[in-house]
Amino acid sequence: MTYTREQLESLLALEDFHDIYAQADALRRETVGDVVHIRALLEFSNHCKRLCTYCGLNATDQKLTRFRMDPRDMIATAQEAARAGYKTIVLQSGEDPWYTPDRIGDIVKQIKKTGMAITLSCGEFPEDVYRYWRDCGADRYLLKHETSDPALYASLHPDSSLDARVACLRTLKKLGYETGGGFMIGLPGQTLSTIAGDLLLLQDIGCDMAGIGPFIPHPDTPLRDAPHGSTELTKRAVALARLLLPKANLPATTALGVLDGAQKENVFSCGANVIMRKVTPNNLKKLYQIYPASFSDVDIRTGRRETEAEIRSMQRTPV
């Protein structure tokens, strides 16, 4: 569907959003069906050179215990995830120079032998690096733009620019990656017009995936005292993303579940069709916190089975 910025802003402000939710759910059923894709999420390094003011991994956080997974352990974890039934693994980290392009490429090649699709989420790199990883077997790349407002972006990311971020997304799309963007709801200074612009940017890039979740303040960041984002507004943005990108994969983000577990399930009736499940080793999960969260200490196979049961309870089919 085609909407102007003003139309999206008006929709986001509706008193009753029921009809839009119903449209998004019907379109989701028509385009991607009643299945929910479960992605294995492996967070392999919380080192990051960036200074993002909202992120608990930012380079200035001296309280955080940093970790890096050995590539052999990453490969072994991915193999275990494949045996547990996962078809896709997301390899996510801060922007950590220790993992050189060649090192990441070798890891991708080894994990690709499991038959799983591979999503990388490692930040901004030159085109030749993205091309190399694509040649190694990477299928998808997740790089959230966080906000489409250049001034707000600059205030949140003092060492980078929105133009550079968007250029990376366009490069990834050009190289044939399934390209994932996304943004937060409730950032200080954000307006409904900003959110409308975020949605239109996803559509303009032609994103194949879009992660939309509420802002959650981290106590060790400059935004520690800011209020968290609205779960209702997050669901509205997901529903409108479905209308703008009918065939896209839209996850129920972990952040939504942190604020309200019921809303994480509810978003599946608003257009979402993907869920992430951490396969990060239990001793490392608590150290990878972009925002505060708690996670259960279960093995990979048990975690997968728990998520499958959750999806079936919503009358959806886990895959």
Side-chain angles (χ1 to χ4, degrees):
M1 295 186 181
T2 301
Y3 292 99
T4 65
R5 188 177 187 130
E6 292 73 21
Q7 287 172 327
L8 289 171
E9 185 177 355
S10 296
L11 289 173
L12 287 164
L14 284 173
E15 183 174 343
D16 184 354
F17 210 74
H18 180 269
D19 288 346
I20 304 298
Y21 284 141
Q23 290 177 39
D25 193 41
L27 185 59
R28 183 271 312 155
R29 185 178 298 109
E30 175 188 336
T31 55
V32 297
D34 282 330
V35 301
V36 174
H37 299 275
I38 312 174
R39 314 295 198 202
L41 174 60
L42 176 58
E43 299 145 329
F44 62 90
S45 171
N46 67 355
H47 288 260
C48 191
K49 66 181 183 182
R50 296 291 190 178
L51 304 174
C52 307
T53 60
Y54 52 84
C55 182
L57 307 188
N58 79 79
T60 62
D61 187 349
Q62 300 300 312
K63 296 181 181 179
L64 180 62
T65 300
R66 303 285 177 169
F67 76 87
R68 292 184 175 108
M69 285 187 70
D70 185 285
R72 292 168 295 184
D73 294 333
M74 291 174 62
I75 294 163
T77 301
Q79 291 168 338
E80 186 177 351
R83 290 192 295 270
Y86 287 99
K87 302 296 189 294
T88 296
I89 190 164
V90 182
L91 304 179
Q92 186 175 70
S93 69
E95 290 201 20
D96 183 355
W98 187 86
Y99 293 91
T100 62
D102 284 344
R103 188 168 277 155
I104 293 290
D106 289 341
I107 293 166
V108 168
K109 288 177 184 176
Q110 293 302 313
I111 293 177
K112 196 67 179 178
K113 295 177 182 179
T114 66
M116 285 192 293
I118 298 175
T119 301
L120 292 177
S121 183
C122 308
E124 298 177 16
F125 288 88
E127 180 174 342
D128 62 328
V129 174
Y130 288 144
R131 180 181 291 107
Y132 170 65
W133 289 342
R134 184 84 175 103
D135 291 341
C136 289
D139 304 278
R140 305 169 181 143
Y141 204 99
L142 177 60
L143 186 70
K144 294 183 179 181
H145 67 267
E146 304 302 4
T147 177
S148 60
D149 180 321
L152 181 54
Y153 190 97
S155 71
L156 297 170
H157 308 88
D159 57 345
S160 59
S161 72
L162 179 61
D163 285 346
R165 198 72 159 184
V166 173
C168 284
L169 284 162
R170 296 195 189 284
T171 294
L172 290 161
K173 186 72 176 177
K174 179 183 71 174
L175 292 173
Y177 281 92
E178 288 186 37
T179 303
F183 55 93
M184 286 181 281
I185 296 293
L187 288 166
Q190 185 186 67
T191 66
L192 294 183
S193 179
T194 312
I195 297 170
D198 291 330
L199 289 163
L200 289 173
L201 180 58
L202 293 176
Q203 186 181 46
D204 181 59
I205 292 168
C207 286
D208 306 285
M209 308 178 284
I212 302 170
F215 164 71
I216 301 177
H218 191 289
D220 298 326
T221 67
L223 299 184
R224 64 180 67 85
D225 296 323
H228 64 70
S230 162
T231 56
E232 171 62 24
L233 193 52
T234 299
K235 291 191 301 174
R236 291 184 176 205
V238 171
L240 290 171
R242 174 60 66 197
L243 298 183
L244 292 168
L245 300 163
K247 297 181 179 180
N249 284 318
L250 302 178
T253 61
T254 305
L256 189 58
V258 168
L259 292 183
D260 189 334
Q263 296 295 0
K264 185 176 179 182
E265 293 189 11
N266 188 263
V267 75
F268 285 107
S269 63
C270 305
N273 70 314
V274 173
I275 192 168
M276 303 278 193
R277 181 77 195 212
K278 287 176 178 275
V279 297
T280 308
N282 288 327
N283 64 316
L284 302 179
K285 285 179 184 176
K286 64 182 181 296
L287 301 179
Y288 196 95
Q289 293 204 17
I290 295 172
Y291 48 82
S294 59
F295 307 99
S296 59
D297 287 344
V298 297
D299 62 80
I300 290 175
R301 187 173 296 276
T302 299
R304 168 85 190 191
R305 298 298 172 257
E306 289 177 352
T307 305
E308 289 176 351
E310 179 184 354
I311 291 167
R312 291 192 181 97
S313 73
M314 296 182 283
Q315 286 72 56
R316 299 286 178 85
T317 304
V319 294

